[in-house]
Amino acid sequence: MPVLEPNPPNGQKKLLAVFGAMIGITVVIAVIASIASP
């Protein structure tokens, strides 16, 4: 079973969405912190 399939099953798609959300939130926090820092 390859790591990235063209049509992943529902569980893998949900896991990928959670992983992407975690990375996205981390990037947003980093950008806000860099803007708020003097």
Side-chain angles (χ1 to χ4, degrees), residues 3-20:
V3 178
L4 290 176
E5 298 178 359
N7 295 316
N10 197 19
Q12 187 174 348
K13 192 177 297 182
K14 184 187 294 183
L15 187 71
L16 196 66
V18 171
F19 193 66

Side-chain angles (χ1 to χ4, degrees), residues 8-37:
N10 197 19
Q12 187 174 348
K13 192 177 297 182
K14 184 187 294 183
L15 187 71
L16 196 66
V18 171
F19 193 66
M22 287 173 55
I23 294 178
I25 291 172
T26 303
V27 169
V28 168
I29 291 176
V31 169
I32 292 176
S34 65
I35 292 175
S37 64

